[in-house]
């Protein structure tokens, strides 16, 4: 069989779908049961072995080229390569394939449909126009959580029988770490709570800022709040709240963090806080646990699937409840230290090679 992965997110994104596509691709290469695997992507990676790579150059200029590439150039290449199965990991395609080619579409979440106000206007419009047709034409839909599967069934009920849930893994780099120089690099001098993710409305950072204000009001200590991640969309309200925060001298926004630094940032945090309004899976929760750090997370969407019964949950709209958990966890850590063994054992359940074995089995059925 000849299987193609439309791997553009490896080259044109740097957040969750980038990580998912890169890890999925590398794991499928490692576990390949003997089929021909081909990547279509914007760039060629000379370090990636065991797979054919076809570079299909992309640009946003001239206007319309990206659409020409997506709807015509990529399908033409797939046809010429006599592809049997196409995997689209960014839930926007594949398009214009011959009927005998099996279409596998991966859906990470339905936030542009369920919470359009949290997204940029063009993302909302494109998903509303294309997603129903994409799912209707897909032969197989891979979801990353039971919650995402339920959302797909609820919004697009005709496609329920096509869905297979496969939990993602956590990268092997996420282990307890104390890499020298990382804290100094990000100017971190005090114990800290940590958030990792893109700064955008869905991450619910206004509630986190308010919870930290309440926490500092009731706890006279040197603990800081580290917000690690790049600026996304609709971040103006966050910047305004941060500007006027009474404890802004204890809040550090690192910007985008180098991947090799993340294990140390997770490992040395008092707790990882994930206050999102909605997540398709919530991979940073498992990354933090893989580094032996306790997690405080919102009690919505899929977060209980990623966090299990070892995570401390709160109502995402209640900053006071979050602040109380911050006090509880920080006091426990200061007095007793971290109980890392249970966290590490739990996180080991999320393994990319196990994902890949199940992915191969599912797409070949």
């Amino acid at each position: 069989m000849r299987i193609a992965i439309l791997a553009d997110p490896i080259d044109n994104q740097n957040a969750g779908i980038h990580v998912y596509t890169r890890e999925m691709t590398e794991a499928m290469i490692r576990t390949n049961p003997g089929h021909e695997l081909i990547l279509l992507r914007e760039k060629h990676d000379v370090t990636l072995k065991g797979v054919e790579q076809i570079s299909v150059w992309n640009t946003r200029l001239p206007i319309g080229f990206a659409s020409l590439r997506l709807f015509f150039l990529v399908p033409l290449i797939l046809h010429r390569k006599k592809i049997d199965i196409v995997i689209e990991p960014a839930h926007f395609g594949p398009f214009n394939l011959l009927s005998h080619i099996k279409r596998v579409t991966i859906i990470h979440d339905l936030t542009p449909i369920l919470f359009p106000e949290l997204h940029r206007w063009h993302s909302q419009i494109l998903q509303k126009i294309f997603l129903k047709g994409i799912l209707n034409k897909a032969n197989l839909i891979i979801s990353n959580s039971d919650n995402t599967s339920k959302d797909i069934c609820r919004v697009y009920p005709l496609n329920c029988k096509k869905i297979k849930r496969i939990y993602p893994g956590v990268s092997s780099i996420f282990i307890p770490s104390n890499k020298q120089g990382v804290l100094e690099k990000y100017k971190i001098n005090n114990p800290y709570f940590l958030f990792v993710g893109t700064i955008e409305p869905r991450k619910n950072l206004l509630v986190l800022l308010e919870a930290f204000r309440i926490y500092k009001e009731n706890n006279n200590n040197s603990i800081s709040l580290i917000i690690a991640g790049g600026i996304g969309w609709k971040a103006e309200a966050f910047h305004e709240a941060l500007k006027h925060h009474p404890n802004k001298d204890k809040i550090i926004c690192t910007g985008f963090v180098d991947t090799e630094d993340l294990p140390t940032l997770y490992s040395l945090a008092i707790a990882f806080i994930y206050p999102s309004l909605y997540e398709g899976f919530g991979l940073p929760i498992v990354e933090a646990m893989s580094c032996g750090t306790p997690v405080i997370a919102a009690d919505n969407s899929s977060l209980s699937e990623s966090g299990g019964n070892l995570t401390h949950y709160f109502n995402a709209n209640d900053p006071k409840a979050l602040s109380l958990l911050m006090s509880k966890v920080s006091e426990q850590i200061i007095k007793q230290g971290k109980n890392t063994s249970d966290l590490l054992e739990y996180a080991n359940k999320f393994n990319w090679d196990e994902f890949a074995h199940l992915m191969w089995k599912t797409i070949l059925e």
Side-chain angles (χ1 to χ4, degrees):
M1 299 282 283
R2 309 187 92 188
I3 295 98
I5 300 176
L6 305 185
D8 283 341
I10 296 177
D11 302 315
N12 62 26
Q13 298 197 37
N14 58 18
I17 295 180
H18 163 87
V19 173
Y20 184 102
T21 306
R22 185 193 70 229
E23 294 286 347
M24 176 193 76
T25 299
E26 292 177 355
M28 290 188 71
I29 293 171
R30 287 194 301 271
T31 60
N32 189 346
H35 298 279
E36 189 173 350
L37 195 58
I38 299 169
L39 300 189
L40 270 70
R41 53 187 298 185
E42 295 183 6
K43 303 173 185 176
H44 190 278
D45 182 356
V46 296
T47 67
L48 195 60
K49 307 299 182 183
V51 63
E52 179 183 352
Q53 299 180 69
I54 300 175
S55 300
V56 189
W57 181 71
N58 196 12
T59 180
R60 295 342 182 229
L61 295 173
I63 295 174
F65 180 81
S67 297
L68 175 68
R69 177 185 183 277
L70 181 66
F71 290 99
F72 297 102
L73 292 181
V74 168
L76 179 61
I77 293 169
L78 294 171
H79 173 63
R80 288 181 174 175
K81 295 296 289 186
K82 295 181 169 46
I83 297 298
D84 299 297
I85 301 172
V86 177
I87 302 172
E88 167 51 73
H91 71 211
F92 199 67
F95 295 102
N96 292 338
L97 301 184
L98 297 177
S99 59
H100 70 273
I101 301 176
K102 186 174 184 177
R103 302 172 182 229
V104 180
T105 295
I106 298 174
I107 299 296
H108 302 276
D109 60 65
L110 292 184
T111 54
I113 303 298
L114 300 177
F115 304 97
E117 70 279 3
L118 302 180
H119 286 264
R120 292 169 288 192
W121 66 270
H122 62 275
S123 178
Q124 304 173 29
I125 293 173
L126 288 173
Q127 296 291 332
K128 286 180 180 178
I129 292 174
F130 290 106
L131 188 55
K132 182 178 180 180
I134 289 170
L135 295 180
N136 287 343
K137 291 181 179 179
N139 300 99
L140 175 65
I141 300 168
I142 303 294
S143 76
N144 57 0
S145 68
D146 291 333
N147 187 75
T148 297
S149 297
K150 291 175 183 176
D151 284 344
I152 298 170
C153 282
R154 179 164 54 88
V155 181
Y156 305 104
L158 295 179
N159 293 293
C160 278
K161 293 182 179 180
K162 301 178 184 178
I163 302 169
K164 173 70 174 181
R165 188 268 292 152
I166 308 178
Y167 284 133
V170 61
S171 171
S172 60
I173 70 167
F174 291 105
I175 58 175
S177 171
N178 188 2
K179 181 181 174 184
Q180 188 173 5
V182 170
L183 297 189
E184 291 82 357
K185 178 178 180 179
Y186 298 103
K187 298 180 172 59
I188 301 172
N189 301 310
N190 297 312
Y192 59 92
F193 296 110
L194 176 67
F195 164 84
V196 174
T198 303
I199 297 175
E200 46 107 343
R202 180 164 58 95
K203 301 303 181 181
N204 201 24
L205 295 179
L206 295 182
V207 163
L208 177 57
L209 290 178
E210 176 60 11
F212 186 63
R213 183 195 68 77
I214 298 170
Y215 173 82
K216 296 303 287 186
E217 192 175 77
N218 294 296
N219 294 271
N220 183 23
N221 58 38
S222 61
I223 293 177
S224 298
L225 173 63
I226 309 301
I227 296 175
I231 303 298
W233 47 93
K234 298 186 178 181
E236 296 82 7
F238 169 80
H239 289 301
E240 189 65 19
L242 181 62
K243 178 181 177 181
H244 298 288
H245 200 285
N247 309 104
K248 61 183 178 182
D249 60 320
K250 295 293 185 183
I251 301 174
I252 298 175
C253 294
T254 66
F256 185 77
V257 170
D258 294 331
T259 301
E260 61 267 25
D261 296 335
L262 276 173
T264 295
L265 286 181
Y266 279 130
S267 298
L268 300 183
I270 288 175
F272 174 68
I273 302 175
Y274 211 49
S276 291
L277 295 171
Y278 179 100
E279 291 290 336
F281 178 71
L283 193 55
I285 288 178
V286 186
E287 292 174 349
M289 297 172 103
S290 294
C291 295
T293 293
V295 174
I296 302 171
D299 61 352
N300 60 51
S301 58
S302 64
L303 298 184
S304 63
E305 292 182 67
S306 50
N309 60 9
L310 296 179
T311 291
H312 306 270
Y313 296 101
F314 69 98
N315 185 313
N317 298 311
D318 190 347
K320 185 175 181 181
L322 173 53
S323 72
L324 290 173
L325 283 177
M326 293 165 72
S327 295
K328 175 183 176 181
V329 173
S330 60
E331 289 173 8
Q332 184 177 15
I333 297 300
I334 290 170
K335 290 179 181 178
Q336 303 174 13
K338 294 179 181 177
N339 182 11
T340 61
S341 59
D342 289 345
L343 295 170
L344 298 178
E345 182 180 357
Y346 174 82
N348 282 337
K349 296 193 305 182
F350 300 96
N351 181 282
W352 277 113
D353 282 358
E354 290 182 12
F355 165 95
H357 284 301
L358 188 52
M359 186 71 161
W360 278 112
K361 178 182 176 182
T362 302
I363 67 173
L364 294 173
E365 286 178 346

